[in-house]
């Protein structure tokens, strides 16, 4: 570990001032501390934001507001979330380990860095870690990498399960920075790698996520998250699907579908949603809709299996959620 300065912010303004001076925010530290230990991240200073009051879970008639410092385990266990938005609880409980979920914050989970082995190996070429050095994964070990949203500069998957569930539900981010407060769709937070994979999000320098807002639409209650991985605990997704359906008299009135483990950002599937909308529940419908989930896929040498795996994951989760009471 290398030397760095550490301070605790007593309030929001103190945190913003420290960030404006170049400090990095730290809450649970479950990603940042690991990366610092491996010398992947080398910030000169950290500002601890755990004293800030972003720990609310505010249930309103049409939305749930969640503070960015709420711990993953607390949000997963909240009775209203479990009952009214099960896809969120399931995505959280399938993430990481119980110990990490007790420490990790919601804001930190959304902004966690890629789990690509080359990103975390400082001896390897990685455009996210060191722009312009190349991408060792393109011709290297890429079994776990993305098939959607990739570029010639990066194919690392986005690691957050929670982000996939929230993207499906049209969640909104609330942030504060030098320009004041703003609200924007969570889908606008993440950036595909393109020619600048080191730019992973659209936050301004020093801008702080203070909360998220999750609409309680008619689909939220009939929702769920399926995660396919090499082992059943403490493993990142090879493919995952967040599905939320509004079904009346056997007909799908609206659908929300997003996938993870296969793309460089949490990946919404509007073509799948259009195929489902207004149609009666049917196994053939789910199969046809799932085939649309891989449009534009560009597999690498070792991850071509994800094309079929993604289709099967989406099809299975559509059938599972459709059968819920």
């Amino acid at each position: 570990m290398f030397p760095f300065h550490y301070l605790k912010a007593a309030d929001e303004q103190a945190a913003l001032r420290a960030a404006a001076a170049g400090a990095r925010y730290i809450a649970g530290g479950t990603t940042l501390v690991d990366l610092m230990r491996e010398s992947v991240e080398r910030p000169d200073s950290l500002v601890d934001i755990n004293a800030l009051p972003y720990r609310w879970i505010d249930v309103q008639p049409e939305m749930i507001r969640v503070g960015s410092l709420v711990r993953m385990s607390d949000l997963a266990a909240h009775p209203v979330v479990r009952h009214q938005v099960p896809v969120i609880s399931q995505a959280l409980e399938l993430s990481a380990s119980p110990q990490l979920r007790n420490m990790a914050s919601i804001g930190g989970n959304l902004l966690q860095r890629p789990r690509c082995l080359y990103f975390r190996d400082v001896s390897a070429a990685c455009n996210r870690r060191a722009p312009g050095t190349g991408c060792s994964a393109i011709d290297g070990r890429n079994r776990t990498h993305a098939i959607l949203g990739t570029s010639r500069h990066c194919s690392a998957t986005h690691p957050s399960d929670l982000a996939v569930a929230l993207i499906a539900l049209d969640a909104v981010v609330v942030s504060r920075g030098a320009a004041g407060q703003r609200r924007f769709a969570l889908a606008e937070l993440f950036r595909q790698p393109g020619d600048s994979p080191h730019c992973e999000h659209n936050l301004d320098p020093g801008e702080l996520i203070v909360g998220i807002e999750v609409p309680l639409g008619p689909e939220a209650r009939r929702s769920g998250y399926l995660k396919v991985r090499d082992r059943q605990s403490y493993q990142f997704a090879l493919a995952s699907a967040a599905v939320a359906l509004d079904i009346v008299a056997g007909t799908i009135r609206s659908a929300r579908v997003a996938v993870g483990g296969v793309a460089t950002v949490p990946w919404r599937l509007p073509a799948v949603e259009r195929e489902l909308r207004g149609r009666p529940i049917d196994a053939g419908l789910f199969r046809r809709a799932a085939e649309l989930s891989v449009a534009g896929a560009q597999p690498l040498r070792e991850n071509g299996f994800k094309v079929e795996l993604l289709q099967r994951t989406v099809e299975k989760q559509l059938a599972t959620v459709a059968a819920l009471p």
Side-chain angles (χ1 to χ4, degrees):
M1 185 74 78
F2 50 90
F4 60 91
H5 298 285
Y6 172 85
L7 62 97
K8 297 190 71 171
D11 55 40
E12 183 180 278
Q13 289 306 310
L16 294 175
R17 284 195 300 270
R24 293 281 302 277
Y25 296 123
I26 186 169
T30 57
T31 294
L32 181 56
V33 171
D34 278 349
L35 295 176
M36 291 171 63
R37 187 181 298 119
E38 297 167 5
S39 296
V40 175
E41 296 262 19
R42 300 194 61 164
D44 292 326
S45 58
L46 301 179
V47 53
D48 187 326
I49 59 173
N50 282 294
L52 304 188
Y54 310 144
R55 297 183 183 274
W56 62 82
I57 302 178
D58 178 20
V59 180
Q60 301 179 3
E62 296 183 353
M63 77 168 64
I64 297 178
R65 298 173 62 250
V66 181
S68 61
L69 290 178
V70 170
R71 281 355 191 198
M72 292 171 64
S73 56
D74 291 335
L75 183 59
H78 193 280
V80 175
V81 175
R82 297 184 73 87
H83 181 63
Q84 295 195 28
V85 204
V87 66
I88 290 179
S89 289
Q90 292 171 21
L92 288 167
E93 289 174 345
L94 290 170
S95 300
S97 66
Q99 295 89 342
L100 289 174
R101 293 195 296 270
N102 285 336
M103 285 293 297
S105 67
I106 296 303
N109 179 273
L110 297 178
L111 294 176
Q112 61 185 296
R113 303 298 303 280
R115 296 288 165 168
C116 171
L117 62 91
Y118 298 108
F119 170 73
R120 290 168 179 263
D121 179 357
V122 294
S123 67
C126 174
N127 288 316
R128 286 191 187 245
R129 177 172 31 79
T133 59
C135 176
S136 294
I138 298 298
D139 297 314
R141 303 303 303 272
N142 48 44
R143 176 177 176 272
T144 62
H145 282 64
I147 60 174
L148 295 165
T150 62
S151 77
R152 62 190 178 91
H153 300 290
C154 184
S155 61
T157 56
H158 193 275
S160 173
D161 294 296
L162 174 63
V164 177
L166 294 177
I167 287 285
L169 296 172
D170 288 327
V172 169
V173 174
V174 181
S175 67
R176 295 200 184 107
Q181 179 170 303
R182 66 174 178 138
R183 298 173 68 257
F184 55 94
L186 178 63
E188 297 173 7
L189 174 64
F190 306 107
R191 294 178 56 164
Q192 295 181 37
D195 293 331
S196 53
H198 60 289
C199 300
E200 296 174 7
H201 56 72
N202 289 311
L203 293 174
D204 294 330
E207 189 172 10
L208 178 62
I209 294 177
V210 301
I212 57 171
E213 297 173 354
V214 184
L216 293 177
E219 310 88 354
R221 189 182 296 259
R222 187 190 290 261
S223 65
Y225 191 74
L226 175 61
K227 182 175 183 178
V228 179
R229 46 192 170 170
D230 284 325
R231 61 174 186 261
Q232 282 301 102
S233 66
Y234 197 35
Q235 183 70 287
F236 292 91
L238 292 173
S240 65
V243 171
L245 301 175
D246 179 22
I247 300 174
V248 177
T251 297
I252 300 173
R253 293 202 305 187
S254 63
R256 310 286 182 86
V257 186
V259 293
V262 293
T264 55
V265 296
W267 199 260
R268 188 77 177 262
L269 296 174
V272 172
E273 296 172 356
R274 289 192 296 269
E275 179 69 17
L276 295 167
R277 196 175 300 127
R279 298 180 184 272
I281 295 171
D282 176 77
L285 170 65
F286 297 151
R287 184 169 55 255
R288 293 192 303 273
E291 290 171 356
L292 301 174
S293 65
V294 296
Q298 295 183 309
L300 299 169
R301 186 182 69 252
E302 295 181 350
N303 68 357
F305 72 96
K306 285 193 174 188
V307 174
E308 181 178 359
L309 179 63
L310 175 57
Q311 294 178 73
R312 292 190 177 204
T313 302
V314 172
E315 180 181 356
K316 180 176 181 179
Q317 188 62 358
L318 288 171
T320 298
V321 172
L324 293 172

